[in-house]
Amino acid sequence: NYKKIKDYFINYGFNEVFTNSLVNSNLKTNSFSLNLKNPLNKEINTLRTSMFPRLFEVMVLNLKSGFNNCNFFEMGRVFKISENKIIEQDKLSGIFQSKFLSTNKKDDLDWFKIKGFFEMFLSIFGYTNIEISTIQQKTIYFHPTRSIQFKINKKVLGSFGEVNPMVEEFRGIKTPIYLFEFNLGYFKNWRMKNDIKTYNEYSKYPSITR
């Protein structure tokens, strides 16, 4: 299933990246982050709670290098402590800016086109009756008023929106930068919930018209 997800985003011009799951300790996430007792390096002494900080670094590096296709995604595991328990989750996270859905190079990226892009992605895995709402909890990564989350049966499948204007890395950039994140735990058994399509064998003797 993960290969199918990768193919979907690669076919739309995204680039897959691989970053280190060890990061530097962050005061903003220190309350629920998982620190290593004996780290090999003091600069990377904590397991990541999100893949966004590393994706920010990748985005900034490519923007400074003048790379045109700045659409990136990563699939990996994040860690956090909740109620004295260690929680591990597989996530799909991404960051993008270029007009990958626009046929006209002069057009700006349309919010509703991107929203439809993710709705089409969810429909492939059988999630059609999706509830869309604003993100209820405050987050340091998503814009407080220009972000939404996709829900079904009170389960949050994922989130999408503009990057928070308080993120220092992108304060000097005028073009909006978008983020998305999905919980891959809801994409594992999608074939078990959908009917298997059956196909008829095509004719070995096609009709000929003279």
Side-chain angles (χ1 to χ4, degrees), residues 16 23 26 34 38 53 69 81 103 109 122 134-135 142 184 209:
E16 185 180 9
V23 296
N26 189 341
L34 189 63
N38 188 22
N69 184 11
I81 298 177
T103 55
L109 203 57
L122 292 171
T134 57
I135 298 177
F142 285 97
L184 292 176
T209 304

Side-chain angles (χ1 to χ4, degrees), residues 96 111 114-115 118 142 147-148 150 158-161 178-180:
F96 59 97
W111 170 273
I114 310 172
K115 175 174 163 288
F118 289 111
F142 285 97
S147 303
I148 58 175
F150 302 97
S159 304
F160 151 70
Y178 298 90
L179 304 173
F180 66 88

Side-chain angles (χ1 to χ4, degrees), residues 36-147:
L36 299 182
K37 291 184 177 180
N38 188 22
L40 296 176
N41 191 329
K42 293 182 179 180
E43 295 181 356
I44 46 175
N45 56 1
T46 305
L47 288 169
R48 62 186 178 188
T49 57
S50 172
M51 288 183 281
F52 285 139
R54 291 293 191 187
L55 288 173
F56 291 166
E57 295 176 5
V58 173
M59 187 71 162
V60 170
L61 178 62
N62 283 274
L63 287 174
K64 290 182 178 179
S65 301
F67 188 49
N68 293 324
N69 184 11
C70 289
N71 305 323
F72 305 102
F73 77 95
E74 182 177 10
M75 301 174 70
R77 184 161 293 185
V78 297
F79 310 83
K80 67 178 180 178
I81 298 177
S82 178
E83 298 179 356
N84 295 324
K85 294 182 180 179
I86 299 175
I87 299 175
E88 301 181 24
Q89 291 181 327
D90 290 332
K91 297 276 190 174
L92 164 67
S93 301
I95 185 170
F96 59 97
Q97 182 189 34
S98 64
K99 308 172 181 61
F100 70 102
L101 291 175
S102 177
T103 55
N104 188 349
K105 294 183 179 180
K106 296 182 180 181
D107 291 342
D108 292 331
L109 203 57
D110 188 87
W111 170 273
F112 294 99
K113 286 182 180 180
I114 310 172
K115 175 174 163 288
F117 169 78
F118 289 111
E119 287 176 340
M120 183 171 63
F121 166 69
L122 292 171
S123 66
I124 295 175
F125 295 90
Y127 295 118
T128 53
N129 299 322
I130 304 171
E131 178 186 351
I132 298 176
S133 62
T134 57
I135 298 177
Q136 302 298 326
Q137 297 180 348
K138 292 183 179 180
T139 169
I140 60 176
Y141 301 119
F142 285 97
H143 196 290
T145 59
R146 300 177 184 175
S147 303

